[in-house]
Amino acid sequence: MERILCPSMMCADYGSLKNEVIALDSAGIDIFHCDIMDGSFVPNMTMGIMDIKTIRKYSDKPIDCHLMIENPSSKVDWFIDAGADIIYIHPESERYVIKTLAYIKSRGVKAGIALNPDTSIETVMEMLNLVDYVMVMTVNPGFAGQTFIDFTKDKIKN
Ligand SMILES: O=C(CO)[C@@H](O)[C@H](O)COP(=O)(O)O
């Protein structure tokens, strides 16, 4: 099994983002994982477009944007234009999921589905051949440092 390292950039020191990006890049990380939260789909607000642009400015490594926002289809262009290489959307937050996945791919970036702990894999079974990645969340989206929800292990296994 291939293992890759994707540090969560919401945990970076924002007083020194440029240096954090350069240090992670030279430490050999694989993908910058960026948690985008709108304070509505999840009870927190985190990174935005300027942060993605800063990461893109100081590294050529892939950037993934995990959109924890309502109606992500209206905003995917913002993040692609800022430099994202992979966009994750939540089926719980989007009315036209497959249309949005197809649009993301048509823009030349990879598309992923992220699943809340209480969303079953069956919900998205038909869409699995349309995505490049599936993110199985092992905590409720919104915050770093939460306790691992044990039953999500079975979902990952399946
Ligand atoms: O999407 C999220 C939280 O919603 C994660 O990406 C966290 O940012 C990572 O948390 P830790 O692994 O540091 O607890």
Side-chain angles (χ1 to χ4, degrees):
M1 184 173 60
E2 188 197 2
R3 284 166 203 240
I4 58 171
L5 198 54
C6 313
S8 175
M9 294 307 290
M10 74 181 276
C11 303
D13 173 0
Y14 278 78
S16 188
L17 186 56
K18 171 183 170 184
N19 295 335
E20 297 272 89
V21 172
I22 292 168
L24 287 166
D25 183 305
S26 46
I29 63 118
D30 297 291
I31 297 175
F32 288 92
H33 174 66
C34 298
D35 290 307
I36 313 296
M37 305 182 185
D38 65 356
S40 176
F41 180 63
V42 293
N44 197 5
M45 282 181 130
T46 48
M47 304 175 65
I49 292 159
M50 302 310 293
D51 302 311
I52 306 306
K53 285 185 177 167
T54 300
I55 297 170
R56 180 77 303 146
K57 187 169 172 188
Y58 296 109
S59 174
D60 293 327
K61 300 222 172 179
I63 297 173
D64 85 48
C65 287
H66 173 196
L67 302 185
M68 284 165 271
I69 63 178
E70 300 288 359
N71 191 21
S73 55
S74 65
K75 302 194 176 57
V76 292
D77 280 326
W78 298 1
F79 292 94
I80 295 170
D81 293 343
D85 302 283
I86 305 163
I87 302 276
Y88 287 94
I89 61 165
H90 275 261
E92 304 92 346
S93 69
E94 175 58 50
R95 186 177 296 236
Y96 300 107
V97 181
I98 58 169
K99 188 175 165 194
T100 307
L101 293 169
Y103 179 72
I104 292 168
K105 292 181 90 152
S106 79
R107 290 278 333 256
V109 304
K110 297 206 158 127
I113 287 182
L115 295 177
N116 282 344
D118 46 13
T119 302
S120 75
I121 198 82
E122 281 73 26
T123 316
V124 295
M125 208 52 108
E126 297 89 346
M127 304 176 204
L128 294 183
N129 61 349
L130 304 175
V131 296
D132 300 291
Y133 299 99
V134 176
M135 181 193 300
V136 175
M137 299 224 36
T138 59
V139 294
N140 284 305
F143 299 92
Q146 300 183 74
T147 305
F148 183 88
I149 299 172
D150 214 46
F151 71 73
T152 58
K153 269 195 278 194
D154 292 336
K155 209 196 288 187
I156 295 169
K157 235 184 264 165
N158 294 338

